[in-house]
Amino acid sequence: MKIDHLGIATKGIDEALKFWANALGLENIHTEIVEDQKVRIAMLPIGESRIELLEPTSDDSPISKFLEKRGGGIHHIAVEVDDIVAALERLKNRGMRLIDERPRTGAEGRLVAFVHPASTGGVLLELVQAT
Ligand code: CO
């Protein structure tokens, strides 16, 4: 396994890029709207991982709610797994609370599933299928 990306909630990607790209020096290699999650994302590689900037595309986006409650900041950690269905099964069998019982299509067309913070010690965890 590896950390596929760190998801960072922001009111606006363009504004966030002033820090992450212009000032820090990372490169934004991919921007995409993920309709299913009502977010626009930008992916900035950092070592073998990435920073994922998340901007809400509507008021009822999960990111809108997060920004209201906590302001911007780290929203989730994404771990790459070889077999996402097996990983979900394993977690479920151990009584872990899943947000997604089945994988769905996330950014970059990859299969993803979220694990509830109640089971992880307060971290929203995203599983991403290895490509
Ligand atoms: Co993510």
Side-chain angles (χ1 to χ4, degrees), residues 4-8 37 39 41 43 50 52-54 75-79 106-107 112 114 125-128:
D4 184 81
H5 62 266
L6 300 176
I8 297 179
Q37 290 161 41
V39 292
I41 62 130
M43 284 288 191
R50 285 93 56 80
E52 178 187 60
L53 301 174
L54 301 141
H75 177 260
H76 65 270
I77 294 176
V79 171
V112 304
F114 284 90
L125 184 72
E126 178 182 9
L127 304 177
V128 185

Side-chain angles (χ1 to χ4, degrees), residues 11-24:
K11 286 191 187 84
I13 284 175
D14 293 343
E15 187 65 26
L17 285 172
K18 285 180 190 166
F19 174 76
W20 293 99
N22 301 356
L24 189 61

Side-chain angles (χ1 to χ4, degrees), residues 10-78:
T10 172
K11 286 191 187 84
I13 284 175
D14 293 343
E15 187 65 26
L17 285 172
K18 285 180 190 166
F19 174 76
W20 293 99
N22 301 356
L24 189 61
L26 300 180
E27 188 188 358
N28 176 17
I29 56 155
H30 178 74
T31 305
E32 174 187 348
I33 289 176
V34 185
E35 301 281 0
D36 187 48
Q37 290 161 41
K38 297 178 177 164
V39 292
R40 188 164 80 100
I41 62 130
M43 284 288 191
L44 294 79
I46 180 162
E48 64 167 14
S49 186
R50 285 93 56 80
I51 299 288
E52 178 187 60
L53 301 174
L54 301 141
E55 165 194 299
T57 55
S58 84
D59 288 344
D60 61 343
S61 165
I63 297 301
S64 298
K65 284 166 206 158
F66 183 87
L67 290 170
E68 261 168 45
K69 267 194 233 160
R70 300 210 242 164
I74 293 185
H75 177 260
H76 65 270
I77 294 176

Side-chain angles (χ1 to χ4, degrees), residues 84-85 103-113 126-130:
I84 193 168
V85 173
R104 52 193 168 124
T105 305
E108 303 167 306
R110 298 172 74 188
L111 290 177
V112 304
E126 178 182 9
L127 304 177
V128 185
Q129 172 78 53

